[in-house]
């Protein structure tokens, strides 16, 4: 071996290489704009990567939401769309798939995840209620607040520490939950809002032991557990890999066992379910299901399509069948881990352990000289685009928004820039280009200054806010 100068990806890490478990049969060309073009584009976008045009982007790591490549089976399924207003056969296929793989009884389709968050929040939250959860998510918390609730973070402390190597940083801290119950009373807590994996913590998983203990604890207090199942397949992969007793369980078995400890779930089908649009709510309680079914016709569409076309529901049903393939789940997470390993080897600060859907660069350590209210993570996303046309997104103070009571910025412990990997879209070569781009802006980090916000929308400001550099 010693004469070998060049190494494959696997050899670099001392193991056999793996490859993406698919072959490409349709391509979409992408181009890198020249430096002047990228500068003009980011200025026109107010230094907010959400406001860039897709054509201005070279490698798009803004989100893994709705950006998956569908399979040939899914595209074939699109041709089987039954576009009847009521009772489309694709709805029944979707219902069967959710009942089989997630195990819930009553299914209400929605146009995407936030449609389902809206329904569950309005169906079960009363004004003055508290909703404990394993870290907030932007749209989830907003719907809980709009329904009159207050979100309370009960995730373990390790989740707020980007350097903690805890294997299940998404776990709920039952002591924190108990403290909340002692303070406000169990009757003020309609449900625990459990996410697997936890997006804002860096795509970190919840262990089976934790959900089991949470279920038992909530049973004692008469509190329900509802799951944000958006990325539960990735969570299942981490359980298979890290939790004792699950090595020989399939992703499908782990997913089903986990969901069985919960009372229902909301879903952004745009992630795990491998489609470009769609969502659903699924619950076991027929009374909650009826409330949601009544509301869905007001806000989304009839209860057998909920804002999706028949063909979309078919693609979701097929996506559910494909997402539980063990090779798919493993290659998804390993691709992200490959990128993470390169960055860590180059001493670039990222959230560890590497999570399920993205690399989260720790902007506080990347730009220690930029104060949090000058938006270091937003700055990092803008700099990465300027350097290489790679689009990422802020997950820090801008995403956290303002406290509705005080009107001040919320200052989250985690100030992160997310490089989110779409499913089945990019190859290892794209990951190499991205890694070198992050290194390039890291090498010149001392010369970078922060931003000031010059336009701030009222809701979910990160989507449309505009910024300017200080000079
Ligand atoms: C964890 C989580 N929950 C809910 C949602 C909301 O889903 P959607 O974007 O489909 O409305 C998202 C989307 O980004 C998410 O990441």
């Amino acid at each position: 071996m010693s004469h070998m100068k060049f190494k494959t990806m696997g050899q670099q890490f001392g193991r056999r290489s793996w490859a993406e478990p698919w072959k490409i049969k349709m391509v979409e060309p992408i181009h890198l704009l020249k430096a002047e073009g990228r500068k003009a584009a980011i200025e026109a976008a107010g230094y907010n990567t959400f406001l860039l045009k897709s054509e201005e982007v070279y490698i798009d790591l803004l989100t893994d939401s709705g950006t998956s490549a569908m399979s040939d089976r899914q595209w074939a399924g699109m041709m089987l769309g039954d576009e009847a207003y009521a009772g489309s056969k694709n709805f029944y296929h979707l219902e069967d798939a959710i009942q089989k793989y997630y195990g819930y009884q009553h299914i209400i389709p929605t146009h995407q995840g936030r449609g389902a968050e809206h329904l569950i929040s309005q169906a079960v939250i009363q004004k003055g209620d508290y909703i404990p959860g394993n870290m907030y998510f932007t749209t989830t918390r907003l719907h809980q607040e709009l329904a009159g609730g207050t979100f309370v973070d009960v995730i373990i402390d390790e989740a707020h520490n980007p350097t903690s190597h805890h294997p299940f940083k998404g776990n709920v801290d039952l002591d924190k939950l108990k403290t909340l119950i002692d303070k406000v009373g169990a009757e003020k807590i309609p449900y625990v809002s459990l996410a697997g994996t936890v997006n804002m913590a860096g795509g970190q998983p919840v262990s089976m032991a934790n959900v089991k203990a949470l279920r038992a604890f909530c049973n004692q207090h008469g509190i329900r557990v509802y799951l944000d199942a958006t990325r539960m397949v990735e969570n299942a992969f981490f359980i298979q890999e890290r939790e004792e007793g699950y090595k020989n369980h399939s992703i499908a078995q782990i997913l089903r066992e986990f969901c069985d400890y919960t009372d229902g779930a909301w879903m952004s089908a745009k992630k795990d379910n491998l489609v470009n649009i769609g969502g659903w709510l699924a619950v076991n309680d027929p009374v909650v299901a009826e409330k949601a079914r009544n509301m869905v016709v007001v806000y989304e569409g009839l209860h057998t399509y909920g804002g999706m076309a028949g063909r979309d529901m078919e693609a979701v049903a097929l996506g559910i069948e494909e997402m539980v393939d063990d090779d798919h789940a493993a290659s998804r997470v390993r691709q992200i881990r490959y990128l993470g390993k390169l960055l860590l080897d180059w001493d670039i600060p990222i959230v560890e352990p590497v999570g399920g859907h993205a690399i989260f660069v720790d902007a506080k350590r990347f730009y220690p000289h930029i104060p949090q209210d000058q938006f270091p993570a937003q700055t990092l996303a803008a700099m990465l685009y300027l350097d290489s046309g790679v689009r990422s997104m802020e997950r820090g103070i801008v995403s956290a928004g303002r406290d509705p009571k005080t009107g001040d910025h919320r200052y989250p412990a985690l100030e992160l820039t997310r490089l989110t990997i779409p499913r089945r879209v990019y190859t290892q070569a794209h990951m190499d280009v991205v890694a070198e781009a992050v290194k390039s802006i890291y090498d010149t980090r001392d010369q970078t200054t922060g931003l000031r916000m010059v336009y701030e929308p009222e809701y979910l400001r990160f989507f449309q806010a505009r910024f300017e550099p200080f000079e």
Side-chain angles (χ1 to χ4, degrees), residues 65 112-114 117 137 139 199 228 230-231 268 270-271:
S65 183
Q112 63 181 84
R114 68 199 72 180
E117 289 171 342
F137 182 70
T139 55
N199 189 350
D228 183 335
T230 297
R231 298 187 182 83
S268 172
K270 300 169 74 174
K271 283 83 163 179

Side-chain angles (χ1 to χ4, degrees), residues 171-182:
N171 282 355
V172 171
D173 184 331
L174 294 183
D175 290 334
K176 289 186 187 170
L177 187 54
K178 168 111 186 17
T179 306
L180 180 69
I181 295 174
D182 291 346

